[in-house]
Amino acid sequence: MSHDLHESLRDNVRILGDNLGQTIAADLGDDFVARIERIRALAKQGQQGDQAARHELIDYLRDLPDGDLLPVTRAFNQFLNLSNIAEQHYRGRFKRVEDYRPGSQPDLGELITRIRERGFSAQKIVEELSAMRVELVLTAHPTEVIRRTLIQKYDAIEGCLTQMEGACDRPEQATLARARLTELISQAWHTDEIRHERPTPVDEAKWGFATIENSLWQAVPDFHRQLDEMTLEAAGERLPLDAAPICFASWMGGDRDGNPNVTASVTRTVLLLGRWMAADLYLRDLEQLKSELSMWKCTAALRAEAGDVAEPYREILRRLILRMESTRDWAKAGLDGKRHEGVDIIETREQLYTPLLACYRSLCDVGLDTIANGALLDTLRRVACFGVTLTKLDIRQESTRHAQVFDELSQTLGLGSYFEWDEQQRCDFLTKELAGRRPLIPRHWECSTDTREVLDTFKVIAREHREALGTYIISMAGQASDVLAVALLMKEIGGDVRLPIAPLFETLDDLDRSGPVIDTLLGMPIYREQAGDRQEVMIGYSDSAKDAGQLAAAWAQYRAQETLVEVTKRHGVELTLFHGRGGTVGRGGGPAHAAILSQPPGSVTGSLRVTEQGEMIRFKFGLPDIASRSMEIYVCAVLEASMLPPPAPRQQWRDEMDRLAGIAHKAYVGVVREDPNFVPYFRSVTPETALARLPLGSRPAKRRQDGGVETLRAIPWIFAWTQIRLMLPAWLGSGEAFATRMQEEGGLEVLREMMNDWPFFSTYVDMLEMLLSKADLSTAAYYEQRLVDEPALKALGQSLRDRLERLEKVVLEIRDQQALLEHMPLIRQAIDVRNPYIDPLHGLQAELLQRNRDADGAISAELSRALMVTMAGISAGLRNTG
């Protein structure tokens, strides 16, 4: 990495930090700023190994008066957010979205050259890109702790950095940008970081649409222009106008799994909101085009369409604008609960695309290619990507909710209890009804409220245009009947709309059973008639890791994909795998390029779906430059995995992984499930109970409010361990597996061989190393010292830290390294820069948690807010926390 890149990042961190210091000084005085600087200096010395400084820091924080705790936490939280802005700006400017390893930055031009060298024609590459279908599914998992109002200010701050760097020879503009920067940082300091109320599902959907409006609306045509340049250079032709290698779907307002706040009414509202926002955005485009396309030369075909007018393009656009205004008014009326006839509204992508394409072809045919390939081409690309709904809305519901419908129904009809039937009885009943013509569900059935809600969701599906909807996902799927139940409900209530149905296999047992379940389904003629020749399957990363531990889950996911590829190939069905990844390593997170290339050969063949969630949406798609680069990374990875798939792993490696996963699973379960002290330790040492009060997302932290760890959602489970820097869900069990193998003859050599030659294992070790670098044994020990009293719990905590320390030594030995992240300098630097600002927040959080417990949860509103700010600050400092 060049000196200039380092300097750019450091300079911007310094500029933002100095501005924040001046803002705080103006608000709270120079003495307060001096206290902040003293805390930071002690934290920095502690990070450098000065134990006396570390103890002094803790004593200093514990002695802070109550009135100082909130402003101190706010100061460190704001600095960490400003550091993230500087890093985002650096990554956008230098196109370094995912450089966790030198040489790992994918470049589409270089990749095309490499594919050509392997014997593929340029035409074949363009065909592959044209047919590619990568859907990025935006989800509202509650890890985005920053309020939208602050995100907008942070985006504007990043814009100021861009203006300052671009105004080297225009000092008056640089002065204006600096003044605006100072103003924005002051605005951010004087804005409450923490929401006082949980966002509703509609609020979350608005946040997702705002990402499209503020970033992706510009990034999508920019990205396609880059693709055009590369395909022109490689094959002498542009990407087809209707090609959309990247498009977007959403769970915001459709994901009702364990979230009682997502109702049929909410889903309908979000669908209308998408139509309204799409119409509003397209109207801006159309008005611009109407202003610009004033030329008179056109083809006879366009003249016939436009009529005898002087400016035919403007006439076509005028009509489109009227229809789009009608569409916007119709959607707005629906949102306001008013009736609107919806006369001549635009309902489909084709209705918008066709007249624009006619204008484009006419311009090209009369020699005005330059004009055609300007703003008009950008709008065509947007229509190809976003349609008339911006995203396709997925619907997700848990399998038992569908089973409950049929249990009530079977009892109402005098057929017994569906819940008591075995799998074969259920399948026989469901397939018979799928093949039958008569309605099954009584017209005026008086069912329970829960069942009515499920049925109402299918009524929403029935009333909606197919283009607005994505996939129906069944969480906690485990049997063929789980899929058939949804197929039957869709037939009974869904009208003419037939969505793809994707079972989500999450637990270890369900992953192992996924191949046979899909095999059974595809062997049923009635199901094949419904599903056609395509099958989507979702692979769960979060709950499988919580269920079995990260290593065992990762291997189960890999094996499941291999089996699914074989099963669907045998049935002549096209498979799309939907990866339910989170932001953190414990939920399958990590660099997208490496993750995709580490999948089994044949599992990525031009199509892929993957979740993008929480704070990772902002980090990867929040700014146009970064969003464009993120899309390039996905296209590169899918193109490479499709055309140059990795070789299948050797049988020896598979045997090794079977054994490693078995050892890791046993070790993980031995602690998390079988040690009676584990749940009390977890509840004592982490901010899990306080986290439930943090108004992050619309969904409850637990699926059920009773029970232990098994009822806790994967996100707060991981978030809580991350807050204390133990990172337990992402590594527990791995150390025992690797250490056991390394003690045996040839063990180290085979692990290194797998790491060097097998992308799956190499990526796993990379992610393990990255999370180890973010873990901090001293921090975890301090939480325990402050918050845990029972000797048995302390003994468990010490054993967990010992395991983590041994794992680090094992990973370094496999890597043949002296220190972590020797080959990941940017991540190492980012962690080192942030630690002196994160450490005080850990100390303050532990102190506030203890004060809260001493007060039986009745600390003042100001201290409660300070506790929430520590969570937000630690999350900002560590970035991918959930």
Side-chain angles (χ1 to χ4, degrees), residues 829-842:
Q829 182 194 21
I831 293 170
D832 289 345
V833 166
R834 286 171 170 78
N835 274 336
Y837 297 88
I838 304 175
D839 284 358
L841 290 173
H842 286 302

Side-chain angles (χ1 to χ4, degrees), residues 392-430:
K392 287 189 172 186
L393 185 66
D394 284 355
I395 306 295
R396 182 168 78 135
Q397 182 58 279
E398 208 242 333
S399 59
T400 56
R401 292 292 301 276
H402 309 124
Q404 180 184 344
V405 172
F406 286 108
D407 187 65
E408 282 189 39
L409 185 60
S410 62
Q411 295 196 52
T412 297
L413 299 175
L415 302 174
S417 170
Y418 182 87
F419 278 142
E420 294 176 3
W421 297 349
D422 62 25
E423 174 63 10
Q424 189 59 54
Q425 286 176 290
R426 292 184 181 189
C427 286
D428 289 345
F429 169 75
L430 295 167

Side-chain angles (χ1 to χ4, degrees), residues 583-705:
T584 188
V585 175
R587 297 186 56 239
H593 186 255
I596 291 169
L597 292 177
S598 67
Q599 303 308 310
S603 63
V604 180
T605 53
S607 69
L608 177 77
R609 297 188 99 221
V610 63
T611 50
E612 292 287 0
Q613 61 86 29
E615 79 277 13
M616 299 313 295
I617 295 174
R618 181 163 52 90
F619 291 149
K620 292 166 76 170
F621 301 101
L623 298 171
D625 285 347
I626 288 181
S628 180
R629 178 61 176 145
S630 295
M631 287 187 279
E632 183 185 0
I633 286 169
Y634 269 111
V635 166
C636 279
V638 172
L639 184 65
E640 184 171 354
S642 301
M643 301 192 76
L644 304 175
R650 301 173 194 167
Q651 186 58 47
Q652 181 195 4
W653 297 347
R654 301 180 62 82
D655 295 341
E656 291 284 349
M657 277 307 305
D658 285 340
R659 182 156 180 251
L660 291 171
I663 296 169
H665 182 228
K666 183 178 179 182
Y668 178 87
V669 170
V671 173
V672 174
R673 304 286 183 187
E674 296 173 0
D675 190 326
N677 292 313
F678 180 76
V679 172
Y681 181 78
F682 169 63
R683 296 263 153 79
S684 297
V685 79
T686 74
E688 181 256 335
T689 51
L691 177 62
R693 297 199 306 274
L694 191 61
L696 296 179
S698 68
R699 198 164 65 177
K702 291 184 177 182
R703 284 191 167 93
R704 302 195 313 273
Q705 294 310 304

Side-chain angles (χ1 to χ4, degrees), residues 734-748:
S734 298
E736 286 78 2
F738 293 157
T740 300
R741 189 66 185 93
M742 287 166 64
Q743 289 166 5
E744 300 166 350
E745 185 177 351
L748 178 59

Side-chain angles (χ1 to χ4, degrees), residues 271-346:
L271 287 163
L272 283 168
L273 187 63
R275 294 293 303 277
W276 179 83
M277 291 197 70
D280 193 59
L281 287 170
Y282 281 123
L283 276 170
R284 300 177 203 177
D285 274 24
L286 295 173
E287 291 286 2
Q288 179 192 351
L289 290 171
K290 181 169 171 282
S291 172
E292 293 185 5
L293 298 187
S294 54
M295 51 289 317
W296 53 268
K297 286 178 66 177
C298 70
T299 60
L302 192 79
R303 177 72 63 190
E305 179 68 26
D308 188 17
V309 294
E311 297 174 324
Y313 301 99
R314 281 182 165 174
E315 175 60 22
I316 299 293
L317 289 163
R318 184 189 66 80
R319 297 173 192 172
L320 262 185
I321 287 169
L322 288 174
R323 292 191 70 188
M324 195 59 79
E325 286 175 340
S326 180
T327 305
R328 182 183 60 183
D329 294 345
W330 161 81
K332 183 67 166 63
L335 289 168
D336 293 340
K338 299 175 182 175
R339 288 186 61 82
H340 188 286
E341 294 304 319
V343 178
D344 203 26
I345 67 171
I346 294 176

